[in-house]
């Protein structure tokens, strides 16, 4: 057997023979580690401990204390669901059942399920967990496997495609149940401490609307019941904060059937969006970006040299059509259009960095079943920017962008997490320039003393990326902003500048988004704040509440004095109690109450949505505070704090 080199997480290397398994390597590292091995991460992919290693690779051993252990546990939970389903519904045919970030799902065919069925299957699954069945990896000859799935075309297709050329193929068995699967899994069903089936939805085989409609069952699992209980409480809170629900209550946006995946912003939602746009414009000005505007409709030839055309058409994500023997498309990205602006004139090394920003409308042909409010759309506005720099300017450019991002996310009360996404299988360009680009991102994060995780092989095809993740009020992570270093697109498009040596050189593109898409960011913000926006961002910042109709004129006088802000006068003939209640339901930061006493003394009473209040407040004092609070972008109404 030939020798291979195993690189361990600390960078040390271990010589091994090709064909040794993940578990074999773990035992070579240490007897205890070998006994504790559950699975492995090989070149960024979670694999079974029984998988053979056939070439040089990086490996991390997964034990029950590893972060990846929960993924393995949830994969087994998917099999527990499938076993329970087939105990109750023997005719159900299984398709795929992967783990997810939140739990697992399994797509099934040939069975109609409702909520009552889920309760029965849940009971059966809990019985299987109680039985503490051993989970064993077994193999089956290919022909036997095809015969085993004689009545299941979905599993046969997997055998003929994903498992093509494998003979024998791997199954996992627990009790009377076995399923075609590569793994990994935990040792027994009893390791699952908390198990819950959550909901049913429709899906399509392979995610293609032209294929069979399947039933998808979602569930989740944890090591302990208490962890599950905490998660279910979080899900209940998330349901209350659902941005689609809050959008209806606060009249923010709609996505009607005539424009699936494309947002209609109502006045309240547009007020928030405009504040975000102006905030980003200020940051772009500070960073030296010049705002541009490029068309949404282009000939598809524009995206062929950059690689976007091939990538997006392969995935079915591009809206494209032929007209007059020419193919046109709606732009999926802004990169090529910004490159055109750069290329429209000759540049010297003295001109760089040259920076363009755009609130660019782009379109992706997402599957109907994947659309989800503002979080997954077909039409979006990207807070996009591209800096064209010399190689010696790369690090400085990345640093300034990272510093700006840290400042921005603090104004939204978001914890920032950084993910370094490295070269994948579809990468264009040489390994040398990818290393140079990746090192630049690493050096910038180290200079800023930022902690980051590495996502192996997850970069875009043209360059490595820092994914900017934000953790919201419920502890959920959202990918929002990005910083990418790109040597490839400028070379493919033959972009140049004249260097100090009077020779032509290719610039480097720094792709960056501070907020990502406005749609996704707004969806995250609505849920993060539970609709209780900071005063600077709130669609209505102050509501004036006259105690009676006799005080309407004074109320309008106070409102006119605050006309630099989003102020409304509540002029409905309601009781003051009902007016206050409605303002709380509308999540207005400040209520200004005026009656006969306030009018006589030329003062106001102020109440905030936390139910703090103060009487006999001078009008200039409130206005001056409002000015400071909005300018400084406080996260909560602060006028009454400490009074």
């Amino acid at each position: 057997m030939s020798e291979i080199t195993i690189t361990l997480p600390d960078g040390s290397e271990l010589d091994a023979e090709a064909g040794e398994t993940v578990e074999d390597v773990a035992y070579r590292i240490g007897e205890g580690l070998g006994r504790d091995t559950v699975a492995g991460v090989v070149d960024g992919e979670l694999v079974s401990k029984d998988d053979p290693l056939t070439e040089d690779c990086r490996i991390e051993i997964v034990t029950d204390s590893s972060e990846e252990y929960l993924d393995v546990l949830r994969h087994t939970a998917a099999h527990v669901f499938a076993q329970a389903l087939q105990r109750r519904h023997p005719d159900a045919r299984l398709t795929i059942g992967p783990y997810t970030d939140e739990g697992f799902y399994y797509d099934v065919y040939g069975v109609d399920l409702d909520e009552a069925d889920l309760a029965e299957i849940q009971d059966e699954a809990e019985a299987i967990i109680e039985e503490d069945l051993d989970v064993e990896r077994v193999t089956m000859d290919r022909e036997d496997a095809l015969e085993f799935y004689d009545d299941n075309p979905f599993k046969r297709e997997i055998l003929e495609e994903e498992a093509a050329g494998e003979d024998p193929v791997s199954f996992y068995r627990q009790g009377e149940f076995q399923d075609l699967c590569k793994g990994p899994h935990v040792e027994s069903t009893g390791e699952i401490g908390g198990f819950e089936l959550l909901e049913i939805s429709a899906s399509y085989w392979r995610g293609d609307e032209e294929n069979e409609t399947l039933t998808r069952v979602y569930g989740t699992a944890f090591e302990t019941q208490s962890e599950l209980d905490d998660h279910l409480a979080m899900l209940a809170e998330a349901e209350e904060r659902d941005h689609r629900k809050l959008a209806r209550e606060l009249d923010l946006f709609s996505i009607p059937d005539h424009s699936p995946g494309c947002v209609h912003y109502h006045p309240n939602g547009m007020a928030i969006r405009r504040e975000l746009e102006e905030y980003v414009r200020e940051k772009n000005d500070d960073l030296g970006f010049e705002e541009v505007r490029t068309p949404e409709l282009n000939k598809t030839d524009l995206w062929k040299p950059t690689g976007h055309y091939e990538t997006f058409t392969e995935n079915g994500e591009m809206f494209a059509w032929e007209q007059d023997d020419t193919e046109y498309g709606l732009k999926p990205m802004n990169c090529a259009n910004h490159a055109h602006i750069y290329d429209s004139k000759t540049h010297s090394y003295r001109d760089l960095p040259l920076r363009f920003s755009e609130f660019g409308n782009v379109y992706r042909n997402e599957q109907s079943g994947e659309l989800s409010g503002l979080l997954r759309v077909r039409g979006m506005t990207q807070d996009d920017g591209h800096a064209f720099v010399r190689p010696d300017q790369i690090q400085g450019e990345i640093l300034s962008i990272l510093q700006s991002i840290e400042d921005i996310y603090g104004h939204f009360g978001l914890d920032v997490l950084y993910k370094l996404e490295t070269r994948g299988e579809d990468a264009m360009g040489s390994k040398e320039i990818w290393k140079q680009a990746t090192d630049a991102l690493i050096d910038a994060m180290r200079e800023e003393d930022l902690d980051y995780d590495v996502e192996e092989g997850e970069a875009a095809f043209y360059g490595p990326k820092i994914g900017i993740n934000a953790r919201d009020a419920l502890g959920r992570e959202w990918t929002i902003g990005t910083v990418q270093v790109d040597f490839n697109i400028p070379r493919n498009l033959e972009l140049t500048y004249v260097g100090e040596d009077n020779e032509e050189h290719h610039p480097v593109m720094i792709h960056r988004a501070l907020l990502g898409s406005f749609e996704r960011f707004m969806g995250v913000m609505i849920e993060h704040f539970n609709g209780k926006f900071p005063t600077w961002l709130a669609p209505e910042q102050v509501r004036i509440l006259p105690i009676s109709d006799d005080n309407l004129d004074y109320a309008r006088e106070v409102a006119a004095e605050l006309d630099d802000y989003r102020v409304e006068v509540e002029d409905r003939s309601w009781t003051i109690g009902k007016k206050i209640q409605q303002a709380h339901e509308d999540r207005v930061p400040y209520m200004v109450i005026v009656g006969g006493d306030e009018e006589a003394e030329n003062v106001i009473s102020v109440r905030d949505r936390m139910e703090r209040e103060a009487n006999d407040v001078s009008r200039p004092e409130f206005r001056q505070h409002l000015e400071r609070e909005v300018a400084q972008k406080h996260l909560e109404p602060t006028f009454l704090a400490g009074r």
Side-chain angles (χ1 to χ4, degrees), residues 186-215:
V186 296
E187 295 292 325
S188 77
T189 61
E191 292 189 33
I192 301 170
F195 179 97
E196 188 80 14
L197 296 179
L198 300 172
E199 61 178 330
I200 306 170
S201 70
S203 64
Y204 299 101
W205 174 238
R206 304 292 196 187
D208 187 336
E209 295 175 3
E210 301 297 318
N211 289 339
E212 292 87 345
T213 301
L214 307 174
T215 298

Side-chain angles (χ1 to χ4, degrees), residues 14-27:
L14 180 68
D15 291 331
E17 289 188 355
E20 288 191 57
T21 67
V22 170
E23 188 175 37
D24 291 335
V25 171
Y27 269 108

Side-chain angles (χ1 to χ4, degrees), residues 325-585:
D325 298 323
T326 301
E327 188 177 38
Y328 293 87
L330 297 177
K331 68 177 176 181
M333 298 287 281
N334 300 299
C335 320
N337 297 81
H338 290 190
H340 161 75
I341 295 175
Y342 176 91
D343 201 35
S344 64
K345 58 190 293 188
T346 302
H347 300 286
S348 159
Y349 69 96
R350 295 187 183 89
D351 300 329
L352 305 186
L354 193 62
R355 307 177 180 96
F356 302 132
S357 67
E358 179 177 8
F359 300 142
N361 295 332
V362 299
Y363 296 87
R364 310 277 177 82
N365 187 19
E366 301 285 357
Q367 296 289 335
S368 297
E370 299 296 323
L371 299 176
S372 178
L374 296 178
L375 301 177
R376 193 73 176 266
V377 293
R378 285 178 173 151
M380 70 196 85
T381 305
Q382 286 185 329
D383 144 41
D384 217 347
H386 295 92
F388 298 85
V389 304
R390 304 188 307 263
D392 63 292
Q393 296 170 324
I394 295 173
Q395 178 122 1
E397 191 68 22
I398 298 169
L399 278 171
S400 64
I401 293 168
L402 290 176
Q403 289 162 359
S404 183
I405 284 170
E406 290 178 81
D407 180 53
I408 288 169
Y409 285 30
H411 282 139
F412 297 99
L414 294 167
D415 294 329
V416 185
L417 302 98
Y418 300 90
K419 310 281 186 178
L420 177 67
E421 299 182 13
T422 63
R423 189 175 193 269
E425 293 181 2
D426 62 346
M428 62 166 61
S430 69
K431 289 184 178 180
E432 290 73 24
I433 60 175
W434 271 82
K435 184 178 186 307
Q436 187 177 348
T438 304
D439 287 347
L441 293 173
I442 292 171
D443 290 344
M445 286 191 288
R446 285 178 175 167
E447 187 162 335
E448 280 295 289
D449 197 26
L450 302 176
D451 293 327
Y452 63 91
D453 293 326
V454 178
E455 303 283 348
E456 298 282 358
E458 293 298 318
F461 60 89
Y462 49 83
K465 174 172 77 174
I466 299 174
I468 314 297
N469 282 22
R471 183 179 287 131
D472 70 9
L474 295 183
R476 299 171 299 181
E477 285 188 29
W478 305 92
T479 299
I480 301 178
T482 61
V483 185
Q484 297 165 278
V485 178
D486 174 14
F487 285 81
N488 289 300
I489 288 178
R491 297 183 185 201
N492 292 353
L493 294 176
E494 299 181 353
L495 305 183
T496 61
Y497 66 91
V498 178
E500 199 168 1
D501 57 2
N502 289 321
E503 298 291 331
E504 287 192 340
H505 302 270
H506 296 296
V508 179
M509 281 179 79
I510 309 294
H511 306 244
R512 52 106 271 208
L514 302 178
L515 302 183
S517 81
F518 281 107
E519 286 71 23
R520 184 176 178 81
F521 191 81
M522 282 184 61
V524 172
M525 285 301 95
I526 293 167
E527 297 193 5
H528 174 60
F529 289 121
N530 196 17
K532 298 175 182 177
F533 300 103
T535 305
W536 71 276
L537 204 54
E540 184 181 349
Q541 296 166 314
V542 180
R543 186 174 294 179
I544 315 293
L545 309 180
I547 290 176
S548 74
D549 290 350
D550 293 339
N551 311 121
L552 269 171
D553 288 343
Y554 185 60
R556 290 177 179 131
E557 179 185 322
V558 172
E561 194 173 74
L562 300 172
D563 65 356
D564 288 342
Y565 303 97
R566 292 183 288 279
V567 180
E568 298 290 338
V569 174
E570 177 56 88
D571 58 4
R572 287 173 287 194
S573 297
W574 289 351
T575 65
I576 190 63
K578 185 173 181 180
K579 290 177 180 180
I580 290 171
Q581 179 184 353
Q582 187 61 54
H584 275 294
E585 290 177 3

Side-chain angles (χ1 to χ4, degrees), residues 50-202:
D50 300 311
D51 272 18
L53 306 172
T54 58
E55 57 187 23
D56 294 351
C57 59
R58 300 183 65 88
I59 187 170
E60 180 181 346
I61 303 300
V62 175
T63 69
D64 61 7
S65 61
S66 301
E67 183 178 328
E68 294 83 2
Y69 176 73
L70 189 56
D71 294 334
V72 183
L73 184 85
R74 287 171 169 170
H75 195 181
T76 303
H79 278 213
V80 167
F81 158 76
Q83 183 178 12
L85 173 71
Q86 293 198 318
R87 282 185 179 182
R88 296 285 180 139
H89 301 273
D91 293 335
R93 279 174 278 179
L94 307 175
T95 67
I96 57 171
Y99 63 85
T100 68
D101 290 342
E102 297 296 321
F104 64 87
Y105 69 81
Y106 217 119
D107 286 345
V108 300
Y109 186 75
V111 60
D112 291 325
L113 299 176
D114 57 26
E115 296 299 326
D117 293 313
L118 279 197
E120 292 179 354
I121 298 166
Q122 170 89 25
D123 290 342
E124 193 68 59
E126 290 175 354
I128 291 167
I129 293 168
E130 186 68 25
E131 290 170 30
D132 194 18
L133 302 174
D134 289 339
V135 180
E136 303 172 284
R137 179 169 173 154
V138 296
T139 60
M140 189 181 295
D141 291 342
R142 168 170 288 276
E143 288 304 315
D144 292 338
L146 287 167
E147 184 178 345
F148 182 79
Y149 287 120
D150 184 55
D151 64 344
N152 189 327
F154 309 101
K155 294 291 189 183
R156 289 176 68 92
E157 185 174 317
I158 293 170
L159 281 166
E160 291 162 1
E161 294 188 9
E162 285 90 336
E166 294 182 25
D167 194 4
V169 292
S170 66
F171 280 67
Y172 276 82
R173 177 188 295 156
Q174 54 201 47
E176 83 287 354
F177 173 82
Q178 59 183 350
D179 197 9
L180 176 70
C181 185
K182 292 176 64 177
H185 289 279
V186 296
E187 295 292 325
S188 77
T189 61
E191 292 189 33
I192 301 170
F195 179 97
E196 188 80 14
L197 296 179
L198 300 172
E199 61 178 330
I200 306 170
S201 70

